[in-house]
Amino acid sequence: MKHGLSIQSIALSLLALLPAAVFAQVDSTSEAYEKGHSAGRVFGYIFIGVIVIAVLRKFLKK
């Protein structure tokens, strides 16, 4: 029961912070923005790769 409550409280806090992130003023021409964008892209590719490998391992074991 506590597990579900903690997940719900985390989700609500992220939902409360979402509008601030969406409406933030961002200088998309800055060097820091470009570095962060490329680092986020690399992290996304790694994350998707890990998920694909986990799914493939699950299907190949059966």
Side-chain angles (χ1 to χ4, degrees):
M1 199 64 142
K2 289 183 180 183
H3 183 67
L5 185 59
S6 64
I7 291 175
Q8 186 179 17
S9 64
I10 291 171
L12 286 175
S13 64
L14 287 176
L15 188 62
L17 292 174
L18 182 64
V22 170
F23 296 118
Q25 296 291 327
V26 176
D27 180 17
S28 61
T29 60
S30 71
E31 184 179 341
Y33 177 82
E34 290 297 324
K35 285 183 180 179
H37 189 67
S38 62
R41 198 175 323 160
V42 169
F43 178 76
Y45 290 147
I46 291 172
F47 186 71
I48 290 171
V50 168
I51 290 174
V52 167
I53 290 170
V55 168
L56 287 175
R57 288 184 69 197
K58 181 140 182 116
F59 282 127
L60 292 177
K61 282 187 177 180
K62 287 186 177 183

